[in-house]
Amino acid sequence: MRVGITSVAAAALGDLVFLDLPEVGATITAGETCGEVESTKTVSELYPPVSGTVTAVNTEAVDDPALVTSDPYGSGWLFEVQPTAAGNLLTAAEYAQKSEA
């Protein structure tokens, strides 16, 4: 499973300048901080939607964080996880309602 940020979050963050992502082999827990993204505006913590083991990190995005804001659903993914449990996930419609509020 690939993990990234939504286009709504990418737009709110602005230009990303640094990514601090979990290492391959790290165990992450849904809803607990596993890294950070830093923009010209702020630093935001990353909260994974699932628990599991990190199997890959997008080194291209680490080298060029602008990929995350320019293509969050494509080449801007952050890391991959072999999930063991899901957190509190939203459907696309539920997320759209929350992001409009």
Side-chain angles (χ1 to χ4, degrees), residues 5-54:
I5 62 173
T6 65
S7 60
V8 173
L13 287 168
D15 295 328
L16 294 183
V17 295
F18 180 74
L19 302 175
D20 178 24
L21 303 178
E23 295 181 11
V24 171
T27 300
I28 59 173
T29 302
E32 293 185 10
T33 304
C34 70
E36 295 178 338
V37 294
E38 181 179 339
S39 73
T40 55
K41 297 179 183 180
T42 189
V43 174
S44 297
E45 295 179 330
L46 294 173
Y47 297 94
V50 297
S51 298
T53 303
V54 176

Side-chain angles (χ1 to χ4, degrees), residues 22-92:
E23 295 181 11
V24 171
T27 300
I28 59 173
T29 302
E32 293 185 10
T33 304
C34 70
E36 295 178 338
V37 294
E38 181 179 339
S39 73
T40 55
K41 297 179 183 180
T42 189
V43 174
S44 297
E45 295 179 330
L46 294 173
Y47 297 94
V50 297
S51 298
T53 303
V54 176
T55 58
V57 172
N58 186 352
T59 56
E60 289 181 20
V62 171
D63 292 341
D64 182 10
L67 286 175
V68 177
T69 50
S70 66
D71 191 14
Y73 302 128
S75 61
W77 60 277
L78 299 176
F79 54 90
E80 293 181 349
V81 178
Q82 179 62 50
T84 56
N88 186 16
L89 303 176
L90 301 175
T91 66

